[in-house]
Amino acid sequence: MAGVIRRIISTTKAPAAIGPYSQAVVVDRTMYISGQLGMEPTSGQLVEGGVQAQTKQALVNMGEILKAAGCGYENVVKTTVLLADMNDFTNVNDIYKQFFSTNFPARAAYQVAALPRGGLVEIEAVAVLGPLTDAS
């Protein structure tokens, strides 16, 4: 039986991992994207401006990882949103829908006790590489 190929995805256009993990891993056509904080890639610092600014930066970072694997936001099929405060849910959604506007990915959202570096939001994703056709 042939083995399944695993490929590590890495780009300098998104923040480097701050621990022993990869920015993303592709297995067959499925890409698992590690949680993205609202960190500026070059400085490694959280962006200022609150939860909406951090959400936007986290999704921009995710986009760079998607691009490094040859796909885009339309390839995302599942996200998990981690919030430092569930009261920020609506503010996060206001930014989130700018990146995912149709055929929304499945999603879960949780409030957590704390996020790395004092972040307000972290978003991880699962994407499927290659062209996707929506069933009607």
Side-chain angles (χ1 to χ4, degrees), residues 28-40:
D28 197 17
R29 287 184 57 207
T30 304
M31 178 166 57
Y32 303 90
I33 302 171
S34 294
Q36 295 300 301
L37 295 165
M39 291 172 31
E40 204 284 319

Side-chain angles (χ1 to χ4, degrees), residues 34-57:
S34 294
Q36 295 300 301
L37 295 165
M39 291 172 31
E40 204 284 319
T42 54
S43 71
Q45 299 298 311
L46 291 168
V47 296
E48 294 183 9
V51 72
Q52 286 192 322
Q54 288 187 24
T55 300
K56 181 177 181 180
Q57 187 63 53

Side-chain angles (χ1 to χ4, degrees), residues 13 31 33 36 55-68 70-79 95-106 123 125-128 130 132 134:
K13 294 182 179 179
M31 178 166 57
I33 302 171
Q36 295 300 301
T55 300
K56 181 177 181 180
Q57 187 63 53
L59 289 166
V60 166
N61 294 341
M62 181 186 297
E64 292 297 339
I65 295 167
L66 288 162
K67 201 181 308 178
C71 58
Y73 297 103
E74 68 278 3
N75 295 88
V76 175
V77 296
K78 169 75 167 74
T79 63
I95 303 301
Y96 186 93
K97 67 186 176 186
Q98 295 173 20
F99 291 82
F100 301 105
S101 55
T102 60
N103 298 319
F104 302 112
I123 305 172
V126 177
V128 177
L132 298 178
D134 294 317

Side-chain angles (χ1 to χ4, degrees), residues 83-95:
L83 298 162
D85 184 346
M86 190 56 80
N87 291 317
D88 286 331
F89 186 76
T90 300
N91 288 325
V92 168
N93 280 339
D94 289 344
I95 303 301

